């Protein structure tokens, strides 16, 4: 797979190759970049799985590339910079813009190769509750490179995943963000509750029907009122387990979107960054509430954020 | 333990003894009643654990009492009347008052003893969503015997448990009810999520502090906004795992109460029936929202409901 990164080419080395990557808790996505173009990709284990042996694991993953010599530089983001990662990198405090954030990165030498691990972001809510992210900030600042219009005005950036990050971007600064563990909640209710039944491969049409009904409910009521219908509609109204999965997803996402819009305040523009299928669910939930969204590819945003902050050009 | 049932004595046999019980999915609570007084109690396995052998299991549990001869009658409520119980009993449809409900009971002869299994209740929400209960209806109608004032006017009856039942009682009729699986949600988040940490025996003071903070949050925001603080306040603000358990409980219960009050509409009186410790949590959540509640003992209400509907006197 070859992906053109069409901006900030001067941020990447013109000789040899650079290695950039997003190393999260559960997976590593590593890219080889030559003259601004991704020429190879390798996936590896999450930082949570390699214990204290991050350097060893990385050496193994990039071994095939080393036949061309060592990379000019390695730039990483994500939980690789956490306490249990490779090297602990402090958080940049919000509000933070890209230059402020880049300054906090940790740089060190590894086998003669300059390594840079990007910082996470920390913020404190109006109610004093602290929050942190590691990895998503790279996608957010990368999105600003994708689309310079994001650098001005107020934008809501939502990164759906296991722990969703709802972020406010104001004139290029991340002013606030909020973690919402809807993905984890959904997985628990799907896999371990009495509400849903096990379905190996849900029928897409049934699932879509349930999803739409869950979204509808979320517009009228809130979570507690309609959660049990996941079960009761199966047992008493002939709905299928496939329908129930979709309903649960639609209800949770719809309620989350309604509540977070009310809590964070509206923004002129909503941008979704991440996995396409999950982002599409959020786009539909926003759409059902009359809000237009734009989708950006999570990997592309991460690469842009890393290229901008990375190696020779930073 | 001896408990006076101070009403409806004529509903119980004056000669010999009656057996009444609440046989739910996870446990059986059986009482021996003589001349209106509970003279013995035995606990046994839930109907979910005895498979198709309900009669056999019951015979074993009451064996010690049979030395005085067979009971005059046996009256049971709960999941014992479900499809996978002993004998399937239909649901009474809401709105239902006590006489209507009692008529639906199944009666049959077992080893020469008249057995009565009380009906459950079924209702359909304004949005077409069906709901059912088995066992709680006996406590609700029993509460009306406890306190005849409940037979007039509009009352909200809340039965907290794994699957909470929120019921509207209007002039002695259950007009609507709604299942909210908050207990199951709490257990999943406590035991299997990344939000809470394992605590063997939570420190009560810490837990109470967290509970109060969770209730406070629930008054201002909703669930999604504040759920992740269960984790972030531990990791970033020095709160203990004990605090986090309390916070999670307070947040869930507080959000449930706020949302259900808004959904079901207010009632002049709120009555909580069930386990005392859990009911006290709900009482505090209602109290934090300015609503007074009364607590009734779940077993006492069940016994009253069974005595009223039971054996000779029905």
């Amino acid at each position: 797979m070859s992906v053109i990164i069409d901006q900030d080419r001067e941020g990447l080395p013109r000789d040899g190759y650079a290695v950039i990557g997003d190393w999260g808790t559960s997976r590593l996505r590593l890219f080889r970049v030559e003259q601004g173009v991704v020429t190879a990709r390798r996936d590896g284990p999450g930082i949570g799985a390699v214990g204290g042996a991050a350097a060893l694991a990385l050496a193994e993953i990039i071994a095939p590339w080393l036949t061309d010599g060592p990379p000019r530089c390695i730039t990483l983001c994500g939980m690789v910079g956490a306490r249990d990662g490779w090297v602990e990198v402090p958080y940049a405090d919000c509000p933070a813009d890209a230059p402020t954030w880049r300054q906090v990165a940790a740089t060190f030498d590894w086998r003669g190769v300059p390594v840079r691990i990007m910082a996470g972001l920390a913020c404190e809510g109006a109610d004093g509750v602290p929050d942190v992210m590691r990895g998503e900030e790279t996608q957010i600042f990368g999105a600003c490179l994708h689309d310079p219009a994001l650098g001005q005005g107020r934008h809501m950036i939502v990164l759906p995943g296991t722990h969703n990050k709802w972020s406010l971007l104001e004139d290029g600064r991340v002013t606030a963000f909020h973690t919402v563990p809807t993905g984890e909640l959904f997985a628990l209710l799907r896999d371990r509750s009495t509400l849903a039944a096990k379905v190996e491969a849900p029928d897409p049409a049934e699932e879509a029907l349930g999803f739409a009904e869950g979204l509808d409910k979320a517009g009228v009521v809130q979570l507690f009122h309609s959660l049990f219908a996941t079960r009761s509609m199966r047992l008493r109204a002939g709905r299928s387990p496939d329908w129930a999965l979709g309903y649960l997803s639609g209800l949770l996402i719809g309620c989350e979107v309604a509540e977070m819009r009310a809590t964070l305040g509206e923004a002129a523009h909503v941008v979704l960054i991440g996995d396409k299928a999950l982002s599409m669910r959020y786009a539909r939930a926003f759409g059902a509430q009359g809000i237009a969204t734009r989708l950006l590819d999570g990997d592309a945003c991460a690469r842009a954020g890393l290229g901008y902050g990375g190696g020779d050009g930073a």
Side-chain angles (χ1 to χ4, degrees), chain A residues 10-314:
Chain A
E10 66 280 13
L12 293 164
R14 297 201 173 277
D15 305 312
Y17 66 97
V19 170
I20 62 176
D22 183 351
W23 204 347
T25 302
S26 55
R27 65 175 178 163
L28 165 64
R29 282 164 293 182
L30 215 56
F31 303 93
R32 173 176 168 149
V33 183
E34 290 169 86
Q35 301 202 2
V37 177
V38 172
T39 53
R41 169 179 174 158
R42 288 181 66 78
D43 290 356
I47 194 74
V50 302
L56 208 66
L58 184 66
E60 200 169 298
I61 301 283
I62 64 171
W65 297 343
L66 295 180
T67 54
D68 302 331
R72 289 282 304 270
C73 59
I74 298 174
T75 309
L76 301 169
C77 69
M79 293 300 281
V80 64
R83 192 166 304 168
D84 299 328
W86 186 356
V87 166
E88 185 174 3
V89 186
Y91 295 99
D93 287 315
C94 287
D97 58 12
T100 309
W101 164 67
R102 284 203 310 273
Q103 280 172 14
V104 184
T107 55
F108 57 96
D109 184 274
W110 176 62
R111 302 180 178 185
V113 177
V115 175
R116 169 172 290 205
I117 300 182
M118 305 310 294
L121 288 188
C123 79
E124 189 166 302
D127 54 1
V129 175
D131 213 326
V132 292
M133 62 167 70
R134 278 201 194 273
E136 295 91 346
E137 72 295 324
T138 305
Q139 295 180 313
I140 295 171
F141 291 125
C144 294
L145 292 174
H146 257 297
D147 179 0
L150 287 177
Q152 294 198 322
R154 178 182 161 96
H155 307 269
M156 188 180 284
I157 317 280
V158 183
L159 299 98
T162 303
H163 290 173
N164 306 338
K165 304 291 181 184
W166 287 72
S167 314
L168 280 178
L169 186 67
E170 296 181 276
D171 295 329
R173 299 185 313 161
V174 176
T175 52
F177 64 86
H178 210 92
T179 302
V180 186
T182 310
E184 183 173 3
L185 188 58
F186 174 73
L188 283 172
L189 292 171
R190 177 194 58 198
D191 299 335
R192 298 188 178 276
S193 80
T194 65
L195 302 183
K198 199 161 179 61
V199 184
E200 289 301 340
D203 174 60
E206 277 288 292
E207 205 275 345
L209 195 68
F211 183 76
E213 285 194 51
L215 281 190
D216 275 355
K217 280 280 177 244
V220 186
V221 295
Q222 296 266 302
L223 183 67
F224 288 95
H225 183 276
S226 293
L227 193 50
F228 197 70
T230 313
R231 179 176 169 85
S232 63
M233 293 293 281
R234 277 194 296 118
L235 300 188
R236 302 273 300 167
R239 293 297 200 284
S240 68
D242 317 61
W243 177 94
L245 278 188
Y247 174 83
L248 188 60
S249 172
L251 180 67
L252 288 175
I253 291 176
C255 285
E256 178 193 5
V257 167
E259 192 196 309
M260 293 305 292
R261 283 178 54 215
T263 308
L264 294 182
E266 300 294 354
H269 305 282
V270 176
V271 175
L272 294 163
I273 302 177
D275 171 75
K276 189 173 176 192
L278 186 57
S279 292
M280 281 298 295
R281 289 180 181 259
Y282 278 82
R284 287 205 35 208
F286 274 102
Q289 295 175 31
I291 308 287
T293 51
R294 275 196 307 144
L295 270 59
L296 296 179
D297 177 67
D299 279 347
C301 288
R303 287 192 300 262
L306 289 167
Y308 186 81
D312 299 359

